[in-house]
Amino acid sequence: MLLPISWLKSLVDLEGVSSETIENGLFSCGLEVEEKKPFAPDISGVVVGKITSTRKHEDSDHLTVCTLDCGQYGSGIQIVTGAGNIKTGDTVPVALHGATALGRDGEKVTIKNGKLRGVASNGMLCSGEELGIDDDWYEGAGVDGILILSEDVPPGTDIKAYLELDDEIWDIDVTANLPHCQYVYGVAREFAALIDRPLKEPDLSYEATDETDERISVRVDAPDLCPRYIGHQVKNVKIAPSPRWMRRRLLLCGHKPFNNIVDITNYVLTEMGQPMHAFDMANVAGAQIIVRRAENSEKIVTLDEAEFTLTNENLVICDKDGPVALAGIMGGLNSGIAATTNEVLFEAAKFMRGNIRRTSRALGQSSDSSRRFEKGVDEYTTGLAMRRALHLVNALGCGTVTATHIDVYAEPDKKKEPIVTTVQKINSVLGIEIPKDTIVSILRRMAYEVDVNGETISAVAPAYREDIEDFPDLAEDVIKMYGYQHIKPYLMQNAAITAGGMNKKQLQTERLKHTLVAQGYYELINYSFYSMREIDSLNLPSDAPEYKTIQIMNPLSEKYSVMRTTLAPSMLNIISHNLKKGNEEGRFFELATVFTPKQLPVTELPYEVKKLCFGLFGKEESFFTAKGAVEALGQEFGLAFTYQRVQKPFLHPGAAAEVFLGEESIGYFGQLSYEVAGNFEISQNAYIGELNYEKLSAHFVEIQRYAPIAKHPEIKRDLALIANEETTCGEIEAMIESTCKFISAVRLFDIYRSAQIGSNKKSMAFSLVFTPKDEPLSPEKLDSFVGKILQKLETQLGITIR
């Protein structure tokens, strides 16, 4: 949030308090100052001057020679100007020699004495643009000419002081756990308690007529989403610009002034933290305000002329005919304030932050009000804000406050329960000893109602503190006022210093990731939820276990409505996204948890299983490069995988394999089917695999055993075999390895199909590595081994040599 220091000083006496002390104090309260920026850093040396005489330039039709009185900076100062809106007696801003102002392009310029058409000019008269302001800041600053000031300003006055440009704006980061500090008065209240100085409270008094309007009614049909709604009528409205002090504060806080009524609502939002809206009653059908859930497919056009189609999850404010505002976000186009507005109904309400956040995200519509509601607004401040707005109506003279006041309160008699604790409990949270009197003093400074009975403290939190639940919250408030510097580090009871580092499982996980990275894979991190539509895109049968999902009760949108039961859709979305961005190849992996309910409906925590998903695409990728990722893991962790053909709805029927460790299935990999690739808008062949990491890691070899290098040279033989189409590579490899104990490696390096080989046949070329043990292998022994292998392949698998 933006905080003008002048506004803070108007609420808290900061005499003698340095800027550094303020910054450190705010930080202690949890309010970090991210930036301190002077409002007009490029304006200096500009003073007020009075034009004592003017004459035409002897050598120009459009230049005027002025003589000015600049008070203590001198009189009889001659300046030549081309502005045509000045005359003798005017009071104007004067940039003397060495002063700085803004040029036409907004860049800082330094003024120097010189000559214009041969006549000396010892400075420059300034326009509003050259001072960085417009009509919103000071009347007349937007004219195409010199800024004419009030006649009663003494010559020589510093223009920054007179126009209040000598301010500093602090950009403060307010965390979500401090909703009571998201506005100027909230920050001032917190800081005043910190330095124990009086706080000047905003004037909430107002005068109202006895007149009531029975036509106006307010009904809340969704009290769970709107616990409090206040409406108050103001008649005889006179639309006009707001006074300069209000416009200035709004501008400093990033709000553009519009008119007095709209500016009052924005001012209350900035000062009190309560979003407000003013309805033009001429556009409220039936003078009825109804707060309800929207009907499905109901439409609204907001003030920014954007049209939205709503659902029953959205909260709307309606009149007799339909929606006039998107609750907590923005008013409807037909409810705005116009120059002809004569009667308004001010609205101040509490809308539940979860609903506002979901609506804002789902519709892609955000505003200052919605961002404030998302952080939390309390019912107590809602009432204060309405009184503040009515006071400002009186102060600005922009309308007549009537007695028509409607307050729909879900729990009007709700009272805060006291928190009963002890000094010892509070100190036990903090780990230090703070005296009882100090604790009580701090709590009272923070507006707690405190009763003390011995060591027992009973504290009732102020009405605007909805975050206070128990004594740890009291301890937090106490320490931020007492000072975190008093906390001394020490070991907790029963704690011990450990060596740190990763445990065995973490080290194994890192090894797995490094192995895949070495294969050219990049790690992904996705959300733990997606939509049912993404599961549908896998073309799974309706009874597939992937459909047994855990529904999110309050999803940000339909896109994130269920917990993941498989990582495949997320991987395919990433592949699709990369292809659309022009990336023609890629390898990715994700190690993440999937969630499966133990039963439906969900009544207990689900099963959580960690899975490894990998995906790849590109001209050089194939079923076998996908298999290479699995084999690389097997080599790293000493695992012997076997594979079987598998049928999955989202994989190509001829290029899909189930992965086994022993008799246990641990996952699958294969080529994505063309239909599913189309569902995900994947324009080329892609490959995907998913392994159960928990089953996989259970087989990791804990001790790597050294195998000595063979004493005698290895021998390689290549075999080209003709096999039936349904015979798998895994079956052939297993058969070869079991036939000869000297075989150390079997690798398929080619598959060939042709009419010469025969229908339903394929040629598979394998490279065999024979490793001798105690003595070298003679050619005769090698031929014997190969013969036995070919014989066994033929008798048991019907395979012949090509």
Side-chain angles (χ1 to χ4, degrees):
M1 63 169 285
L2 299 179
L3 174 67
I5 290 302
S6 61
W7 202 342
L8 181 64
K9 289 180 178 178
S10 71
L11 296 172
V12 183
D13 178 15
L14 298 180
E15 184 68 30
V17 181
S18 68
S19 175
E20 183 180 4
T21 300
I22 298 173
E23 182 178 357
N24 292 337
L26 292 176
F27 183 76
S28 177
C29 296
L31 308 170
E32 183 175 0
V33 180
E34 294 189 332
E35 184 181 14
K36 295 190 288 186
K37 185 178 179 181
F39 179 66
D42 296 328
I43 309 299
S44 66
V46 182
V47 300
V48 174
K50 183 174 285 291
I51 301 175
T52 55
S53 68
T54 60
R55 61 181 172 84
K56 287 292 183 182
H57 192 289
E58 293 82 354
D59 195 27
S60 173
D61 293 334
H62 70 280
L63 294 178
T64 302
V65 181
C66 305
T67 304
L68 296 107
D69 175 13
C70 294
Q72 68 269 32
Y73 297 96
S75 59
I77 298 175
Q78 180 174 288
I79 294 177
V80 180
T81 179
N85 68 322
I86 58 165
K87 64 182 185 303
T88 300
D90 283 344
T91 303
V92 295
V94 182
L96 300 173
H97 178 74
T100 58
L102 298 177
R104 293 293 179 182
D105 56 359
E107 294 295 324
K108 178 180 177 180
V109 294
T110 302
I111 309 304
K112 296 181 180 180
N113 294 340
K115 289 185 178 182
L116 285 177
R117 299 274 182 100
V119 177
S121 182
N122 301 314
M124 180 183 75
L125 306 186
C126 296
S127 65
E129 182 182 12
E130 287 157 339
L131 298 175
I133 60 174
D134 57 17
D135 285 334
D136 286 336
W137 189 273
Y138 190 93
E139 294 82 354
V143 301
D144 185 16
I146 302 304
L147 173 59
I148 307 301
L149 305 173
S150 175
E151 296 180 357
D152 57 0
V153 188
T157 302
D158 187 321
I159 198 67
K160 290 183 72 171
Y162 171 67
L163 294 178
E164 298 180 283
L165 301 175
D166 55 346
D167 209 337
E168 191 171 61
I169 314 300
W170 288 16
D171 189 354
I172 298 178
D173 180 26
V174 185
T175 53
N177 65 318
L178 298 173
H180 60 288
C181 296
Q182 302 278 355
Y183 44 94
V184 175
Y185 178 60
V187 173
R189 181 173 54 200
E190 200 84 352
F191 190 69
L194 178 71
I195 63 176
D196 196 13
R197 290 196 178 183
L199 172 69
K200 182 180 179 182
E201 298 184 357
D203 194 339
L204 306 180
S205 63
Y206 66 92
E207 294 182 1
T209 67
D210 295 332
E211 180 183 2
T212 58
D213 193 334
E214 300 298 331
R215 298 175 305 124
I216 299 176
S217 65
V218 174
R219 189 178 82 233
V220 177
D221 292 343
D224 57 323
L225 302 182
C226 177
R228 190 177 192 187
Y229 189 99
I230 304 174
H232 200 113
Q233 181 195 40
V234 175
K235 299 183 70 175
N236 304 321
V237 171
K238 301 172 185 176
I239 300 298
S242 300
R244 188 184 306 160
W245 64 266
M246 178 177 282
R247 299 200 310 268
R248 175 182 176 275
R249 285 184 171 178
L250 289 174
L251 286 167
L252 290 173
C253 292
H255 295 282
K256 178 176 175 56
F258 288 98
N259 57 57
N260 45 15
I261 296 297
V262 174
D263 290 352
I264 285 174
T265 63
N266 285 333
Y267 188 86
V268 172
L269 167 64
T270 306
E271 181 187 43
M272 305 292 292
Q274 171 66 54
M276 295 189 68
H277 186 68
F279 291 102
D280 186 338
M281 290 304 293
N283 298 321
V284 178
Q288 296 179 13
I289 293 292
I290 304 168
V291 185
R292 61 169 173 82
R293 284 178 167 83
E295 298 174 1
N296 289 323
S297 300
E298 194 167 24
K299 296 182 181 297
I300 187 173
V301 179
T302 51
L303 285 170
D304 58 356
E305 300 184 6
E307 183 179 53
F308 298 98
T309 301
L310 308 177
T311 70
N312 191 247
E313 292 295 318
N314 308 134
L315 188 68
V316 290
I317 300 168
C318 306
D319 61 10
K320 183 173 67 67
D321 296 336
V324 294
L326 197 54
I329 299 177
M330 192 173 291
L333 185 62
N334 57 345
S335 70
I337 302 300
T340 57
T341 299
N342 180 63
E343 177 189 354
V344 300
L345 184 74
F346 277 106
E347 165 201 276
K350 173 177 178 174
F351 301 119
M352 300 306 290
R353 59 184 180 182
N355 178 263
I356 301 301
R357 181 173 61 252
R358 290 192 300 273
T359 297
S360 178
R361 303 285 171 85
L363 301 180
Q365 182 75 324
S366 181
S367 65
D368 291 325
S369 293
S370 68
R371 288 187 287 271
R372 182 68 188 89
F373 275 119
E374 287 180 28
K375 294 168 184 172
V377 171
D378 59 272
E379 290 101 326
Y380 175 74
T381 300
T382 300
L384 297 184
M386 178 59 77
R387 289 159 59 191
R388 180 61 171 162
L390 298 177
H391 167 81
L392 291 172
V393 170
N394 285 166
L396 272 57
C398 55
T400 302
V401 179
T402 72
T404 304
H405 179 90
I406 304 173
D407 189 348
V408 181
Y409 205 166
E411 297 180 280
D413 300 323
K414 181 180 178 181
K415 295 182 179 179
K416 283 184 171 290
E417 295 295 326
I419 297 172
V420 180
T421 185
T422 64
V423 174
Q424 189 274 333
K425 281 187 176 182
I426 291 176
N427 284 332
S428 68
V429 173
L430 303 176
I432 58 176
E433 294 296 323
I434 302 179
K436 178 178 66 176
D437 292 345
T438 303
I439 293 174
V440 172
S441 174
I442 289 173
L443 292 176
R444 285 174 175 163
R445 288 193 339 241
M446 298 192 71
Y448 285 84
E449 296 178 13
V450 182
D451 288 327
V452 181
N453 184 8
E455 292 297 303
T456 300
I457 296 176
S458 176
V460 179
Y464 54 82
R465 294 294 302 276
E466 295 187 340
D467 58 314
I468 304 301
E469 296 179 353
D470 208 340
F471 72 89
D473 299 313
L474 300 184
E476 181 182 1
D477 274 354
V478 167
I479 192 59
K480 69 183 180 183
M481 295 291 151
Y482 187 64
Y484 289 100
Q485 69 274 12
H486 292 95
I487 295 180
K488 298 178 181 179
Y490 68 95
L491 283 176
M492 297 176 63
Q493 187 176 4
N494 300 325
I497 298 175
T498 62
M502 295 184 179
N503 58 33
K504 184 179 72 174
K505 287 186 176 181
Q506 291 170 329
L507 290 171
Q508 288 176 339
T509 300
E510 287 301 302
R511 279 181 62 195
L512 177 135
K513 291 182 178 181
H514 289 160
T515 302
L516 290 171
V517 169
Q519 297 294 314
Y521 286 82
Y522 289 87
E523 185 177 7
L524 303 176
I525 299 177
N526 286 299
Y527 289 122
S528 294
F529 26 75
Y530 46 35
S531 69
M532 295 297 294
R533 188 180 306 167
E534 293 178 82
I535 304 179
D536 293 337
S537 297
L538 294 177
N539 290 355
L540 296 168
S542 59
D543 60 347
E546 287 84 355
Y547 275 112
K548 295 179 180 179
T549 59
I550 300 170
Q551 305 287 327
I552 306 297
M553 294 181 63
N554 298 307
L556 295 177
S557 69
E558 190 275 336
K559 187 178 179 181
Y560 306 114
S561 57
V562 297
M563 302 297 291
R564 292 195 295 182
T565 53
T566 171
L567 305 182
S570 300
M571 178 62 67
L572 296 178
N573 279 329
I574 295 296
I575 293 175
S576 174
H577 178 77
N578 274 268
L579 285 168
K580 290 176 182 177
K581 293 294 184 181
N583 296 327
E584 297 181 353
E585 60 182 28
R587 292 184 173 189
F588 308 107
F589 77 92
E590 181 180 14
L591 184 61
T593 302
V594 298
F595 303 85
T596 305
K598 295 178 180 178
Q599 59 183 15
L600 292 175
V602 177
T603 57
E604 55 182 319
L605 293 176
Y607 296 111
E608 298 184 25
V609 179
K610 186 171 286 189
K611 291 197 174 184
L612 170 67
C613 184
F614 61 93
L616 55 163
F617 64 97
K619 292 181 180 180
E620 302 300 322
E621 305 297 0
S622 67
F623 173 85
F624 298 104
T625 58
K627 180 185 176 186
V630 181
E631 289 295 317
L633 295 177
Q635 185 175 5
E636 175 68 21
F637 291 99
L639 306 176
F641 297 108
T642 57
Y643 308 93
Q644 292 183 13
R645 190 187 302 272
V646 69
Q647 298 293 323
K648 284 190 174 291
F650 53 91
L651 295 181
H652 191 291
E658 189 170 7
V659 183
F660 287 84
L661 272 174
E663 298 297 322
E664 185 177 34
S665 171
I666 65 166
Y668 65 86
F669 70 90
Q671 180 182 337
L672 191 64
S673 74
Y674 300 128
E675 183 179 356
V676 173
N679 293 344
F680 284 91
E681 300 182 24
I682 295 174
S683 56
Q684 61 174 261
N685 288 347
Y687 305 86
I688 189 172
E690 190 170 20
L691 306 178
N692 187 314
Y693 179 73
E694 295 184 2
K695 291 181 179 180
L696 177 68
S697 60
H699 292 271
F700 286 169
V701 176
E702 294 187 13
I703 301 176
Q704 295 288 352
R705 299 190 181 278
Y706 168 74
I709 298 174
K711 297 179 181 179
H712 307 286
E714 294 180 334
I715 302 174
K716 292 184 180 180
R717 283 288 182 90
D718 292 343
L719 297 179
L721 307 174
I722 296 177
N724 294 326
E725 189 66 53
E726 62 271 13
T727 303
T728 66
C729 175
E731 290 175 321
I732 297 174
E733 288 180 349
M735 186 70 67
I736 293 173
E737 289 173 347
S738 65
T739 304
C740 179
K741 65 180 181 179
F742 291 101
I743 289 182
S744 57
V746 179
R747 184 177 68 86
L748 175 72
F749 64 87
D750 184 50
I751 296 181
Y752 175 71
R753 296 177 177 86
S754 73
Q756 295 176 339
I757 295 175
S759 62
N760 200 34
K761 295 285 186 179
K762 59 185 176 182
S763 172
M764 304 177 72
F766 290 88
S767 178
L768 281 58
V769 178
F770 293 85
T771 302
K773 297 187 183 300
D774 298 326
E775 58 183 22
L777 293 176
S778 65
E780 294 76 18
K781 282 188 176 181
L782 190 63
D783 290 341
S784 173
F785 294 153
V786 172
K788 288 181 180 179
I789 290 171
L790 292 175
Q791 182 181 10
K792 193 170 183 179
L793 288 173
E794 184 175 6
T795 56
Q796 296 196 19
L797 297 178
I799 293 173
T800 59
I801 190 167
R802 182 180 172 189

